[in-house]
Structures are given as C-alpha cells and as structure tokens.
Amino acid sequence: MRDFLRRFARNKGALIGAAVLALVVALALLAPFLFPEDPWDIAGPPFRRPGEMGFLLGTDTLGRDVAAGIAHGARVTLLLSLVSTAVALSIGVVLGAIAGYHGGWVDDLVMRFTEFFQTIPNFILLVVLVAIFTPSITSIVVAIGIVSWPPLARIVRGEFLTLRSREFVQAAEVLGQGSARIIFGEILPNALSPVIVSASLMVATAVLLESALSFLGLGDPNLMSWGYMIGASRTVIRQAWWISCFPGIAIALTVLALNLVGEGLSDALNPRLARKRGA
Amino acid sequence: MSEAPLLAIENLAIALPQGAERPLAVDNISLTLARNEILCIVGESGSGKSMTAHAVMGLLPQPHVRATAGRILYQGEDLLAARPDRLRALRGHKLGMIFQEPMTALHPIMRVEAQITEVIQQHAPLGSTALRDRVTELLLAVGLPDPDRLRRAWPHRLSGGQRQRVMIAMALALGPDILIADEPTTALDVTTQAQILALIRRIQAERQMGVMLITHDFGVVAEVADRVAVMQHGRIVEAGPVAQILRSPQHPYTQSLIAAVPRLLAAPKPPPADAPVVLQAEQVRKTFRQRSWIPGRGTEVAAVRDVSLALRRGETVGIVGESGSGKSTFARCVVRLLAPDSGAIRLHGTDIVPLGRAALRPHRRRIQMVFQDPYASLNPRRRVGDIIAAGPIAHGTPRAEAERRAHELLALVGLDAAAATRYPHEFSGGQRQRIGLARALAMEPDILVADEPVSALDVSVQAQVLALLAEVRARLNLSMLFITHDLRVAAQVCDRVAVMYRGEIVELRPTAELFARPEHPYVRELLAAVPGQGWLPAIQG
C-alpha cells in the first residue's frame, strides 16, 4: 500500500489531479455552509458581473448567485457520477465475471447481450432512457449506469479469461470451492487493477454525460447542476459570458482532474509499464 | 590454448537497481573464452549467469542494470566502452546469440527466410540469388530437412526443436567467432535437447567457434562442455576443465550442486503388491475439439487415448512423457479439472466421471493436486494461512480449526508458523511449492496428483522438495501419481513408471525393470537421450 502511494506520488500530473479533485470535493461538502441559501433563490439583481455587489462570480439572468450554483452543482455532479459509476460497476463486473469464468455458451450469451448495448450510441440511449422514465435523480443515475457498463464487462471478462486458466484457480477448483467463492474470492481481487483504473475514468465520463443531459434540460428539475447552468444561459452568452463560462470551467477541471488521477492509478498499479514509459 | 583468448571478461561487476536482493548481480568475475572451445557457465537461478551473457551482448536492461566495473574484451576491444553503432556492427556479425525460448525469440509474423536474411542484410548485404543459396546452406547446416519448404514457414508452424535450429541458423548466418547460448535446451524435450546439443557441438567444431553456454543442468555440461565455470550469488566459485569439475569438485557449493543432480538410478523399492487399489482409471479418453463455423473444418486432437492405470495404497506411479504426450491432460482428468470423454475413473470403487459438480464435491477431499508452477499456483492476493485453510473451510470445517491445522501443516512441510500471515510473493520457489503441498495436504487426501512439482525449481531445491514429498508420502501412507518429463526425477521417486507417447501408455512397469530393460523403442530412445549419462553412474539393473 505504501509502495503504491509512493508510485502514485511520483506522477506529478496525478498529484495535481488529486489536488484539484480534493478541492472540488471540499467545495461540494462545504456548499451548505458557504452558501446557505437555496441556489435557486434570487439573490440580487440579474446580470451582475463577477465581483459586483459582492457576487464573486456574478449573477445569472434571474439574479441567482453563480458561485452558489457552482458549489451546489458540485454536490449534484459528484454524487450523480459516483453513484452511476457504482451502478455500472456492479452490472459490468458481475456480467463480465460470469462470462469470463464460465466461458462457452454462457460467455456467448452475455457477450451478445453486451454488444447489443454497445451498438446503440451511448448518448442517444441515455436520452431515450431518461425521457421514458421522466428525469429524476434515480432515473439519471440508473440510465448513466446502464449506458456505461459494457466496456467494463469486456475488461473484466478479458481478465477472467486469462486468470481462469491460472493454476491457483484450478487449485481452488480441486479443493472443491464453489463458483461464487472462486469468482469473488480468488479471481476478482487479481482482476481489480484495470477495473479501478477504468472506473476512475468512467466517473469523468459520467460527469460529462450528466452535464450534457442537464444542458438539454433533461436533468432533475429540483437540482442545480453545472450542465443546467450552461444550458440555461447559453442564449445570453454574448451579454453575460460568466454565467456559462464558470460552470464550463468547473466541468473541464473536474474531468481533467479525474483523468489525471485515472492515469496516475494506472501507472501506480502497473509499475512495469509506467517505468518503461518514463525511461 | 596458447593464443590470446577470443573473449576475456575481466573483473566484471554488474549493478542491480536499488531494492534488489543484492547490490551486484555479478560481482568481480573474470573469464576467458578461447577459439574452438565450449565454456559452460553453470548456476542456479539468480546466480548472475544470464546477466554475464547479456552483458557480453550489450543487452543489459539499462539504465536500471548496468556494468559498473571491469572490461569485456573481444579480441582486445572493450565491448563495455564500445559505442552503440560499433556494438551493433559486432552483434550478429561476430557475436551470435541463441535464447532459451525460441518461440518468443523469433519474430512471430516473419517467415523463416525473412528472419535469416534480415541478419545478413544488416551486416553484409548480398544479391538475391546469393542470399537464397546462403539461407539454404544455413538451414541444411543446422540439420533442417527440406529447406525449400521450410524457408516459407511461419515460426508457429515449427516444432520447438525446429525453432531452436532456426535460431541457431540466424546466429550462424554471418559466421560469428563467438556463439552465446542462454539455456538453449531448457524449453525443449529431452530427445530434442540431445539433438540440439549434438548440433551445437558439431557446428562449434566445424567452425572453430568459441561457445559460451549458460545452463543450470550438469547433465548438459557433461554432454558438451570443454571448460566449466560455476557461479553462485554473482561470483565464480570454481572454474576449470570439465573432467576436473565433474569428477573432483573442490568448492563445497559445486559439490552440493553435483550431489543434488538426480541420478538415473532406480532405488529398488518393495512394491506393495496386495495393498488395496485406491484409484483405477479405465480406458480414459479425452479429445480436444476445435470447432469451426464451416462444417468439417474443425480439428480434433486425441490428447489421451484409452489410458488405463491402477494406483495402490502407498504406491507412487510416475507418468513420464514429453510435451504433448497427454500426461498433464490425463492428470487433469483424474482430478476432474477436465471431464473425460469416455472411460471410468474409480476412486475407492466409485466412478467419478459421470458425477456433476455438486455430486463430485465430497470426493474432492480424497484426491488433491500439487501444481507445476510455484509462482502461478498460489493466489498472490491471499495470505498463506488463508490459502491453506480455504479448502477445509469450503468443506465445512470451522475457521479456527482450519487455521490451527494450517499452522501444523506449515510445520510439517518445514516452514515457520509465521509464514501463515505473509503473502506468496515473499517466498522463494521451493518454499512456495511447500505451501502448495500444505494446501493439498490440508484436505487429508488419500491420493496426491503431482503435476511436474519440481520442474520449475533449481536442482538443490528440487532435491529438498522431492525428499519432502517422499517423507510426507511415507508418513501419511499416501498414494501418488507423479507426472514428470524428467526420467531422472521419475527414477528417484516412483515405484512404477508409465511412459506416455502421443496420448497412450506405451510401457508401464516397475521402475528398476523399466530402466534396465526398456522394451518399447520410444522408451529406449527416451532413456538414451538423458544428458550426462557417460558421467553419472549408469542405470542400475
């Protein structure tokens, strides 16, 4: 573990990413204290520039505080992307593990099912799902999870296919351990590194998907989110650039940070590859 | 040997990166290689023998591993100080190298001819006709028949021995002065090994080359070497003419290494004639099918063909064969990792072949397996104690009881009880194999199936593990099915030996009898191919 942290810390980009991410998390956690008022409330006159009348990032078309929106939006965005990644992980890992472990017709069946999802363009499926189930935090989370599990299932399946034939798995079989124990106790811990890496990158994708949904007005109407802020203010971008610009920067920084952390994790979990890249 | 040596290594030191088990991979060694001789460098894994060979070729994984002191002189020119382009000119041209695993050393998607011509074109370009003739000549020189067909072949179409011959042809393409062979026969079957060693010997004599051959096998040394250097922990502990080292080794390490080499000598053991039969395999057959979407295009390989065998209580039966003989497939059928296509496998009279997964579980206890690769057979993410206790727990033993038992078993296989809380990567290969044995014994089996349990280990460790197996077997009155490719190991361990060839048992007799008077021609060939027979005490009658 200490070794892992040391290798992670050696990657400067990953450290910067982790720092930015920590800031975003801190902002999300502190939002109710920094901006105790509801972000949907009108706080002052509309179209105030950043810095005017004590509004750090200005106000929007209705006079809501942009800074408050970003802070509260961070909560929503992080929560949504983390939970939806968890949903994708649980579907992807289970299906991939079953396919890779059992092989044969089970594998064929699960993989055809996976391909079925992969052939439909991600975002369109997402929009359709959210539209059908009416936008709410639950439907968005589940829908993002449903569109993002297939790549994970493929990764897990690949890992399982190779680990399956390893002798320690055969040994477990000869000992008479049950399938579930072998899958989750013996094989999965050895297949985790690529899963962790792709999960961290998946969080970034989920942030983007969620923002895009809210931008289109398909977000949860009760929750302030970065995508919604951009979507609502895009018509006035020439008069009031700050209303859409700051949430945009927030999205870009968060996604970049997540990607950097993901890269760092990947290097730290596969030290041999990372060393070659460095040399 | 009056002339100046072809290659002289003087006070060479090679540093390992920080955090390795020792600071220097190779510590102040000096060696010479004369024209027209074969120098064998012998040592166990981690002794620095391969590092030395790689240093000569400039193939060290720099910058983490690099030569820090000394010189490597090729006809007076220091290779360590040579510029990269000079080194490149020498490599392939004057210095040839062959590697252990010919499959990975050959370019997988280049035809044989292209691989060989590449070497030639790099150093001394020839016209296309001359090139063709040269390739033909080389392929014939390394004993490959039908060069016109073979030059068009892909590496994966060749057998292991053919691949190694192609590697040798590549190394010889420009008539180098020095051939460095890093464990050239370790990945090969014993009959192929004998052919490749004879080839190296012949070519070396024909071309008056200096050959530096790295090996761990004293049998190979006895077969080809003129001079020997024995390495341990990065130092040369003893060097000299082959006869002197093999007949009267001076250094205690050399003595212990030679003592550990398994003799091709069957210890006469009383066969337990009337002991009850615990395992009976009848007409076991397993065919692997490669299905194809095009009807009729699928392929079938009959890996095990109607193998029958009986194992009595307290008896060890060896199954010997080369790769592809079906011995491992048979072992996996016996423990039901594979389902046989037909036949019966009776464990104490119950046929386990038709049993499903659930019905099989209670029988799993009785037959356990020890695997070949000590690095792959233990789950790297679990503690040793958990690994050993996992089996009994899966069969309903309470956790505390299973863990207590795990400690006892660790003691039984000669490991400290503290080992239980550590992870597998903290142990050496031999220790891991002990852990694997403890895991199998935790189930209190009657039958142990050992699939090449010592072939991944160094000879000295091999001897210890074999002794442990023999002791445990005697103490617990186990029956053992012992799979191996090494006749010398089989001779030491087994009461009876079955020789498998292309999926069938061609001969099954008491060990001493089989070795003294082999009947089947293949068994005779196999016995004749064991390296170093002239040196080791011959077969006992």
Side-chain angles (χ1 to χ4, degrees), chain B residues 82-102:
Chain B
R83 294 161 47 88
D85 53 337
R86 173 68 185 144
L87 208 54
R88 201 159 57 232
L90 285 174
R91 279 200 293 242
H93 200 172
K94 297 292 176 195
L95 310 169
M97 181 153 186
I98 50 182
F99 297 89
Q100 171 169 352
E101 183 44 83

Side-chain angles (χ1 to χ4, degrees), chain B residues 326-407:
Chain B
K327 57 188 194 304
S328 270
T329 305
F330 177 66
R332 280 172 164 65
C333 284
V334 168
V335 296
R336 274 300 307 273
L337 274 172
L338 291 172
D341 296 331
S342 64
I345 293 168
R346 291 184 209 287
L347 256 183
H348 298 285
T350 321
D351 185 6
I352 59 166
V353 170
L355 299 183
R357 212 184 158 104
L360 196 61
R361 271 188 91 181
H363 297 280
R364 289 272 193 211
R365 290 207 83 115
R366 305 201 147 156
I367 181 157
Q368 282 299 309
M369 187 152 180
V370 178
F371 291 85
Q372 168 172 6
D373 186 346
Y375 292 87
S377 61
L378 302 176
N379 188 342
R381 307 261 169 175
R382 302 188 76 182
R383 291 175 201 277
V384 167
D386 294 336
I387 290 175
I388 298 173
I393 289 173
H395 283 265
T397 312
R399 176 168 284 275
E401 162 75 15
E403 276 169 7
R404 193 185 52 72
R405 179 99 181 95
H407 285 270

Side-chain angles (χ1 to χ4, degrees), chain B residues 146-469:
Chain B
D146 198 3
D148 284 318
R149 194 183 53 80
L150 221 109
R151 66 168 76 230
R152 311 269 313 142
W154 301 105
H156 66 265
R157 287 295 205 173
L158 306 177
S159 70
Q162 284 175 327
R163 283 186 208 125
Q164 198 58 290
R165 284 172 197 269
V166 171
M167 275 304 293
I168 296 174
M170 281 169 70
L172 292 178
L174 292 160
D177 299 326
I178 296 176
L179 180 67
I180 295 175
D182 186 5
E183 302 264 12
T185 57
T186 308
L188 304 176
D189 283 325
V190 57
T191 46
T192 320
Q193 164 170 295
Q195 291 162 11
I196 295 288
L197 288 178
L199 173 70
I200 291 177
R201 179 99 245 190
R202 194 193 84 217
I203 284 172
Q204 179 271 332
E206 275 172 17
R207 300 176 181 232
Q208 308 272 298
M209 282 190 301
V211 174
M212 184 191 273
L213 195 143
I214 316 292
T215 183
H216 66 280
D217 188 341
F218 267 102
V220 170
V221 173
E223 212 61 28
V224 297
D226 296 313
R227 280 194 308 130
V228 187
V230 183
M231 285 188 75
Q232 182 196 21
H233 303 320
R235 294 165 194 273
I236 292 180
V237 297
E238 192 166 1
V242 64
Q244 180 194 325
I245 301 276
L246 290 185
R247 297 286 171 205
S248 52
Q250 300 303 312
H251 194 278
Y253 179 68
T254 316
Q255 289 167 354
S256 70
L257 267 188
I258 289 178
V261 175
R263 276 20 180 190
L264 187 55
L265 181 133
K269 286 171 197 158
D274 51 348
V277 172
V278 287
L279 175 82
Q280 176 113 40
E282 290 164 13
Q283 307 281 314
V284 174
R285 178 181 277 268
K286 177 76 190 171
T287 307
F288 290 110
R289 288 183 185 83
Q290 186 92 47
R291 273 184 304 165
S292 166
W293 292 106
I294 307 161
R297 285 291 301 275
T299 50
E300 288 198 354
V301 182
V304 176
R305 293 191 247 187
D306 301 327
V307 168
S308 300
L309 187 135
L311 184 64
R312 293 176 184 280
R313 175 171 298 280
E315 184 188 36
T316 301
V317 172
I319 300 183
V320 179
E322 303 197 319
S323 49
S325 62
K327 57 188 194 304
S328 270
T329 305
F330 177 66
R332 280 172 164 65
C333 284
V334 168
V335 296
R336 274 300 307 273
L337 274 172
L338 291 172
D341 296 331
S342 64
I345 293 168
R346 291 184 209 287
L347 256 183
H348 298 285
T350 321
D351 185 6
I352 59 166
V353 170
L355 299 183
R357 212 184 158 104
L360 196 61
R361 271 188 91 181
H363 297 280
R364 289 272 193 211
R365 290 207 83 115
R366 305 201 147 156
I367 181 157
Q368 282 299 309
M369 187 152 180
V370 178
F371 291 85
Q372 168 172 6
D373 186 346
Y375 292 87
S377 61
L378 302 176
N379 188 342
R381 307 261 169 175
R382 302 188 76 182
R383 291 175 201 277
V384 167
D386 294 336
I387 290 175
I388 298 173
I393 289 173
H395 283 265
T397 312
R399 176 168 284 275
E401 162 75 15
E403 276 169 7
R404 193 185 52 72
R405 179 99 181 95
H407 285 270
E408 285 174 20
L409 284 163
L410 281 173
L412 179 74
V413 296
L415 286 174
D416 200 48
T421 57
R422 298 202 279 157
Y423 286 94
H425 69 86
E426 297 173 57
F427 296 90
S428 69
Q431 288 171 324
R432 289 179 197 214
Q433 212 52 310
R434 288 167 192 268
I435 297 168
L437 178 62
R439 168 175 61 192
L441 293 178
M443 304 294 283
E444 296 171 9
D446 312 327
I447 302 164
L448 212 53
V449 177
D451 185 10
E452 303 264 15
V454 295
S455 53
L457 304 175
D458 284 325
V459 273
S460 56
V461 183
Q462 203 171 40
Q464 292 163 18
V465 172
L466 286 177
L468 174 68
L469 270 174

Side-chain angles (χ1 to χ4, degrees), chain A:
Chain A
M1 191 62 201
R2 194 177 301 152
D3 226 33
F4 166 77
L5 287 178
R6 213 188 57 225
R7 285 199 300 263
F8 185 78
R10 209 183 289 154
N11 187 332
K12 285 214 185 64
L15 276 189
I16 295 172
V20 172
L21 207 58
L23 273 180
V24 177
V25 171
L27 184 66
L29 290 176
L30 296 177
F33 306 103
L34 293 173
F35 303 98
E37 264 103 80
D38 190 331
W40 295 95
D41 283 353
I42 291 169
F47 293 109
R48 290 299 106 182
R49 292 183 160 274
E52 266 183 67
M53 292 177 68
F55 293 112
L56 186 63
L57 302 177
T59 59
D60 71 357
T61 51
L62 297 173
R64 293 174 296 208
D65 188 349
V66 173
I70 287 185
H72 285 266
R75 284 165 75 84
V76 175
T77 304
L78 283 186
L79 189 76
L80 273 173
S81 48
L82 285 177
V83 177
S84 61
T85 302
V87 170
L89 266 178
S90 51
I91 307 175
V93 168
V94 169
L95 286 184
I98 291 174
Y101 179 74
H102 289 285
W105 65 269
V106 178
D107 182 32
D108 281 344
L109 199 73
V110 174
M111 280 300 112
R112 292 305 88 77
F113 182 66
T114 310
E115 278 157 17
F116 171 73
F117 275 87
Q118 279 192 305
T119 47
I120 306 171
N122 243 341
F123 193 67
I124 294 181
L125 180 61
L126 180 62
V127 168
V128 170
L129 285 174
V130 173
I132 293 173
F133 295 108
T134 66
S136 75
I137 189 157
T138 330
S139 70
I140 294 171
V141 161
V142 172
I144 294 180
I146 286 179
V147 299
S148 19
W149 65 266
L152 253 181
R154 300 197 79 100
I155 291 174
V156 173
R157 169 182 175 263
E159 288 291 311
F160 267 63
L161 278 180
T162 50
L163 289 168
R164 172 92 187 73
S165 56
R166 292 278 279 281
E167 286 187 340
F168 70 84
V169 179
Q170 299 189 342
E173 223 159 281
V174 172
L175 290 176
Q177 294 193 24
S179 301
R181 265 214 81 86
I182 295 181
I183 290 178
F184 294 106
E186 301 283 340
I187 308 183
L188 193 57
N190 288 289
L192 274 186
S193 338
V195 174
I196 290 172
V197 172
S198 55
S200 69
L201 298 176
M202 200 175 279
V203 178
T205 321
V207 170
L208 286 175
L209 285 176
E210 189 274 331
S211 303
L213 271 183
S214 332
F215 178 85
L216 293 180
L218 286 169
D220 189 320
N222 303 314
L223 296 171
M224 179 58 77
S225 100
W226 295 343
Y228 165 78
M229 293 170 77
I230 301 175
S233 61
R234 70 187 197 287
T235 48
V236 294
I237 190 158
R238 287 206 292 181
Q239 297 89 349
W241 55 267
W242 59 90
I243 312 178
S244 42
C245 191
F246 289 116
I249 291 173
I251 294 173
L253 274 181
T254 311
V255 171
L256 181 66
L258 282 165
N259 275 301
L260 286 173
V261 169
E263 183 102 336
L265 281 175
S266 152
D267 284 358
L269 291 169
N270 300 307
R272 212 169 288 160
L273 275 179
R275 206 177 302 157
K276 269 195 195 126
R277 208 176 301 158

